[in-house]
Amino acid sequence: MKMTLNWLYEHWMKATPFLAIYTFILIWLYVKDVDFGLFLIWLQCPFYWAHEFEEYVAPENRGDNKLSQLCQS
């Protein structure tokens, strides 16, 4: 069990694209027609998973862009 949890702790971010797609499909199928406002609220979850993928798996070179240079000074 501990080995499984260690693996999950180290590799959770690699599953985020699949979680984003899966949650988007479920939200589209079950929430969109019930309440559009609730749909928009729940739609934040797939965007959050996509953000986590971008942040942990596919990071940009954050030192070269102008915004990060402005924030540092």
Side-chain angles (χ1 to χ4, degrees):
M1 181 75 170
K2 184 174 172 117
M3 196 164 110
T4 303
L5 289 176
N6 284 339
W7 183 89
L8 186 61
Y9 181 75
E10 293 176 13
H11 299 285
W12 66 268
M13 67 287 292
K14 294 175 186 172
T16 55
F18 306 107
L19 288 170
I21 293 168
Y22 181 72
T23 55
F24 178 77
I25 291 170
L26 287 178
I27 292 166
W28 183 269
L29 290 175
Y30 294 110
V31 181
K32 182 180 71 83
D33 295 332
V34 175
D35 185 2
F36 188 70
L38 193 60
F39 169 72
L40 292 176
I41 292 170
W42 275 101
L43 198 59
Q44 295 179 60
C45 290
F47 284 108
Y48 175 74
W49 289 123
H51 163 71
E52 290 298 315
F53 174 77
E54 177 269 330
E55 186 174 342
Y56 287 101
V57 178
E60 297 175 306
N61 186 0
R62 301 192 190 273
D64 288 345
N65 59 16
K66 299 287 184 190
L67 183 60
S68 66
Q69 290 174 358
L70 284 173
C71 291
Q72 290 176 357
S73 55

